[in-house]
Amino acid sequence: MTPTFDTDTPAGEKPVGPASTQTPTQGWRRVLGVPSLVLLGLVYMVPLTIFSTYGIVVELTGGRLSAAYAVTLVVMLFTARSYGRMAQAFPFGGSAYTYATRSFGAGLGFMAGWSLLLDYLLLPMINYLLIGIYMNAAFPAIPAWVFMIVSILAVTVLNILGITAIAKANFVVVGLQALFIVLFVALGLSSITGTGNLDLMAPFTGVDGAEGVSPILAGSAILCLSYLGFDAVSTFAEETKDPKRNLPKAIMLTTVLAGVIFLGLAYISHLLLPVSTFNDVDAAAIEVIGAAGGNLLVAFFTAAYIAGSLGSALTSQASVSRIIHSMGRSGVFPAALGRLHPRFRTPVLPILLTSAVSLLAFVLDLLTISSLISFGALVAFSVVNLAVIKHYFVDEKARGARGTVHNLVLPGIGFALTAWLWTSLSGLSFTFGLIWAGVGVVYLAFLTRGFRKPAPQLKLEEV
């Protein structure tokens, strides 16, 4: 029977893959350019995400949140560059899973994808948990779990409808957060300039008694979850126009813009409220926002933050569903997870699976989820930095003075910095992270019948 294509594809857009192999359940729509990709990345990160773990990291670092964000940004710039390099070489969905598989083989690729899967499965969950926390603070009579259930249902439906519906919703989300940021900065600067004896270095030196680099590194390790948006951008490769050119640009732009926003908000927040302890560490943002603009600004923050969390849940669930789809398509997961819905062109089963996992938000706390996400993120980041060296410097032999700098030195620095942060995570993170890795090894052994068969290979299509 002759293969058919999506009759709803707009004129001028081509389905992914050659006509001889395309089927109605395989084709993605190439509708995303650099602005849309950056928007997806920023929404995934949530511009207001510094308030997600604000109290946790401020207390951990002794008030040096800005210093922790500065360290994390430096590490992430090197790693984002490596993601861009690998996206040029392998412009497919699957992110670190794809890059590790193509560079190191299916076995290590599986473990990289397994580590990254931990992040993406938990990221929607952390958004639902935060929605419950802040909505319950605004409406104490309604249990937090009610808001979480409603959010999960809404995000699931929008993801099934498709990437275009998500992109349109993101414009509203980013606009609302941008308006809040402008108001917060304006009111915050007004309050700060009215105080005397202002210490402009306090956001980096912390409160009295804060000392040592280790707390800053521990805070930076947790904050890696804030930058997962640039990784998320790479998962939309098969829905991107000219991905070899647009993905690297979008990844770097997303990282730089997010870093500027995070640092700016963290800096102003500490000048507004130079403390290292809070009444409620999970909802510490309310104290900071109240110091800037009182109850009215707190109400607006709650609205903007909830919108941002919903937007992040939308994008993160879209990303993890595409990773699961990629692994299902390659035979790592059951084949049913590698199929697209014939009408919506979305991976419905992976979307529903992610929603089911998100129900664990009812029993896990914010610190545990944040630490687990950072563990998986740093493992994946390390692998991608090494993949650049393996693919370009070793396999392609792109050396010489310029090649050595771009393909060995810079990704090598990215790997070293990422590993440095990885060792700064808590013992709890390592315990759960290693348990997850152990489960992955057992599952890989099952797939390969005790490692006697080759691991499943990716089945991805060239652009």
Side-chain angles (χ1 to χ4, degrees), residues 63-68 199-206 266-268 270-271:
R64 294 173 290 176
L65 178 63
S66 296
D199 182 4
L200 296 178
M201 292 303 296
F204 296 96
T205 58
Y267 185 81
I268 293 173
H270 184 81
L271 291 180

Side-chain angles (χ1 to χ4, degrees), residues 321-343:
S321 66
R322 281 148 180 78
I323 291 175
I324 294 173
H325 169 269
S326 179
M327 298 178 87
R329 191 170 61 182
S330 65
V332 174
F333 288 157
L337 294 173
R339 300 189 185 117
L340 299 180
H341 191 278
R343 177 183 176 187

Side-chain angles (χ1 to χ4, degrees), residues 132-396:
I133 289 172
Y134 282 100
M135 288 300 289
N136 178 251
F139 305 99
I142 304 176
W145 65 265
V146 173
F147 297 110
M148 293 162 64
I149 287 290
V150 171
S151 301
I152 291 173
L153 290 174
V155 167
T156 300
V157 170
L158 281 174
N159 264 290
I160 289 174
L161 291 178
I163 195 68
T164 303
I166 296 173
K168 289 178 180 177
N170 284 344
F171 279 105
V172 178
V173 169
V174 171
L176 191 59
Q177 291 186 84
L179 180 58
F180 169 80
I181 289 172
V182 170
L183 284 174
F184 175 72
V185 170
L187 291 172
L189 290 176
S190 177
S191 299
I192 291 168
T193 53
T195 61
N197 300 321
L198 189 64
D199 182 4
L200 296 178
M201 292 303 296
F204 296 96
T205 58
V207 299
D208 293 340
E211 59 182 24
V213 178
S214 295
I216 294 176
L217 294 179
S220 297
I222 292 175
L223 294 177
C224 285
L225 68 90
S226 302
Y227 287 91
L228 272 173
F230 73 74
D231 181 285
V233 170
S234 70
T235 68
F236 295 101
E238 293 175 78
E239 293 161 277
T240 299
K241 305 171 186 175
D242 193 3
K244 291 185 178 181
R245 182 173 65 89
N246 290 333
L247 278 177
K249 289 181 180 179
I251 289 170
M252 289 303 294
L253 278 172
T254 300
T255 306
V256 171
L257 288 174
V260 170
I261 293 171
F262 297 157
L263 267 173
L265 290 177
Y267 185 81
I268 293 173
S269 295
H270 184 81
L271 291 180
L272 274 168
L273 194 66
V275 300
S276 60
T277 58
F278 301 94
N279 296 324
D280 182 354
V281 68
D282 286 344
I286 292 178
E287 295 182 44
V288 178
I289 306 303
N295 292 334
L296 186 60
L297 189 62
V298 168
F300 184 36
F301 162 76
T302 301
Y305 191 80
I306 295 305
S309 295
L310 281 171
S312 180
L314 274 168
T315 312
S316 58
Q317 187 167 20
S319 295
V320 71
S321 66
R322 281 148 180 78
I323 291 175
I324 294 173
H325 169 269
S326 179
M327 298 178 87
R329 191 170 61 182
S330 65
V332 174
F333 288 157
L337 294 173
R339 300 189 185 117
L340 299 180
H341 191 278
R343 177 183 176 187
F344 300 116
R345 292 290 192 270
T346 52
V348 173
L349 286 180
I351 290 170
L352 295 176
L353 176 62
T354 306
S355 297
V357 172
S358 294
L359 296 175
L360 289 173
F362 297 132
V363 296
L364 296 179
D365 62 81
L366 187 58
L367 178 59
T368 299
I369 298 174
S370 301
S371 298
L372 288 175
I373 291 172
S374 294
F375 179 93
L378 288 169
V379 171
F381 293 167
S382 298
V383 169
V384 173
N385 280 303
L386 290 176
V388 173
I389 298 174
K390 175 63 165 58
H391 175 71
Y392 286 102
F393 192 78
V394 177
D395 295 341
E396 298 295 320

